Amino acid sequence: NFDKNVEDCKSEKAMLNYRGIDWGLDHPTICLWGKIDKENKIVWITREYFKSGLTINENVKNILDMSGQMPIEWTVIDPSANKRDPATNRSIKDEYARWGLFCLDGDRRERGTDIVKMFLKTGKVKIAPQCRNLIRELQVLEWSDKVNDDCTDTLRYLLVKIHDSVLENIFENTQPTK
């Protein structure tokens, strides 16, 4: 039941902060903010950014403004952001960096779907109720969908990077289901 995953972060303890981005031209640009409770191995998705029709500079400014003074450990982005514009020889990722938002490459491999499913099934990811677009996509998504999955793609990039680099072995006593 997905409802066990929708909850505001009430913890007062200091947690590390991370961001995930799925950039968009024809699709919206998404940013999700995650906090990690390493002791309890829970990822809290605390806010979302969901905007269409803006330039990279405008999106970066909005994301940085929403981040405020919050220290961010790293930001992961859709790896397609490495594609270079033939005219400028710059990538989307280069443009994000040029405007002040440095990003690591996300992982698009199929294993990411299983990792997200394990986080959801075990209650190891909690999503703030105000993340309405992410919640809506999770409620209606078929994992093979290629449309209306921008928020869930962003969640996948973020959770896979957290799984691989911050909460290693989080599911060592649990087997992912196919």
Side-chain angles (χ1 to χ4, degrees):
N1 183 356
F2 177 70
D3 292 339
K4 74 178 178 215
N5 299 96
V6 178
E7 185 180 327
D8 272 320
C9 181
K10 295 175 183 74
S11 177
E12 296 298 320
K13 68 173 109 175
M15 290 187 250
L16 298 176
N17 301 292
Y18 302 87
R19 285 184 299 229
I21 295 176
D22 190 11
W23 66 279
L25 292 173
D26 300 329
H27 293 260
T29 292
I30 311 298
C31 183
L32 297 175
W33 283 259
K35 291 181 174 290
I36 299 180
D37 174 347
K38 284 184 89 167
E39 182 183 327
N40 296 305
K41 296 185 175 183
I42 294 177
V43 177
W44 298 89
I45 304 300
T46 58
R47 60 176 63 159
E48 73 177 11
Y49 171 81
F50 186 102
K51 296 280 187 204
S52 296
L54 300 180
T55 65
I56 291 172
N57 181 25
E58 291 167 323
N59 281 316
V60 168
K61 181 183 180 327
N62 292 339
I63 290 166
L64 292 176
D65 285 351
M66 284 181 71
S67 299
Q69 297 301 311
M70 179 189 321
I72 304 291
E73 298 298 314
W74 46 251
T75 302
V76 65
I77 195 167
D78 176 350
S80 71
N82 284 307
K83 191 170 65 178
R84 296 206 174 268
D85 179 323
T88 65
N89 200 32
R90 280 203 197 111
S91 68
I92 299 292
K93 188 171 140 186
D94 291 342
E95 288 298 304
Y96 269 79
R98 194 165 80 107
W99 293 106
L101 211 165
F102 300 90
C103 302
L104 305 172
D105 291 340
D107 183 337
R108 274 191 130 156
R109 291 177 293 171
E110 285 302 313
R111 73 195 256 294
T113 300
D114 279 342
I115 290 170
V116 172
K117 286 179 181 177
M118 287 298 292
F119 269 100
L120 289 166
K121 286 180 180 179
T122 59
K124 294 292 185 184
V125 63
K126 304 290 185 184
I127 300 164
Q130 60 269 28
C131 297
R132 290 185 186 98
N133 294 294
L134 175 58
I135 291 167
R136 177 183 40 77
E137 283 186 19
L138 283 167
Q139 288 171 331
V140 301
L141 180 76
E142 292 295 327
W143 289 99
S144 58
D145 286 354
K146 296 296 176 216
V147 294
N148 299 322
D149 64 348
D150 302 300
C151 290
T152 54
D153 282 349
T154 308
L155 181 66
R156 181 169 40 108
Y157 304 138
L158 186 56
L159 290 181
V160 168
K161 191 68 156 176
I162 287 169
H163 173 270
D164 291 353
S165 65
V166 183
L167 296 177
E168 300 100 334
N169 305 318
I170 183 174
F171 302 120
E172 64 187 7
N173 297 324
T174 336
Q175 290 301 313
T177 55
K178 297 289 182 218

